[in-house]
Amino acid sequence: MPPVTVYSKSWCSYSQAAKALLGRKGVPFTEVDIEVEPERREEMITRSGGRTTVPQIFIGDRHVGGCDDLFALDGRGELDPLLAAA
């Protein structure tokens, strides 16, 4: 399973929903709270191609997008194969 990174803010309901979906799927992920680590905000913006909202989700080096994008991938049946890719 490729590493999963979620840039988030603790109080953000979209971040919470995205993390909950990953949790239900048993997917371990690294969370980067950009309020706790504000110096990593610029890293998130650069990696995501300019997006400034949270969450921003990465599976391996692939930028998945935000919460809605993650749920859309799951709804189309594309999330599990992406997570299973080596």
Side-chain angles (χ1 to χ4, degrees), residues 8-63:
S8 68
K9 292 182 180 178
S10 62
W11 51 266
C12 173
S13 62
Y14 293 103
S15 295
Q16 292 167 2
K19 293 184 295 185
L21 174 60
L22 293 171
R24 285 192 301 275
K25 291 187 167 290
V27 176
F29 60 89
T30 300
E31 181 176 7
V32 179
D33 186 322
I34 63 170
E35 288 187 320
V36 174
E37 299 180 78
E39 67 279 5
R40 302 215 34 206
R41 178 178 166 75
E42 195 58 43
E43 171 188 308
M44 176 193 80
I45 294 168
T46 300
R47 285 187 74 192
S48 68
R51 288 189 173 185
T52 59
T53 59
V54 292
Q56 291 302 318
I57 304 156
F58 294 83
I59 299 175
D61 290 329
R62 178 178 171 171
H63 178 233

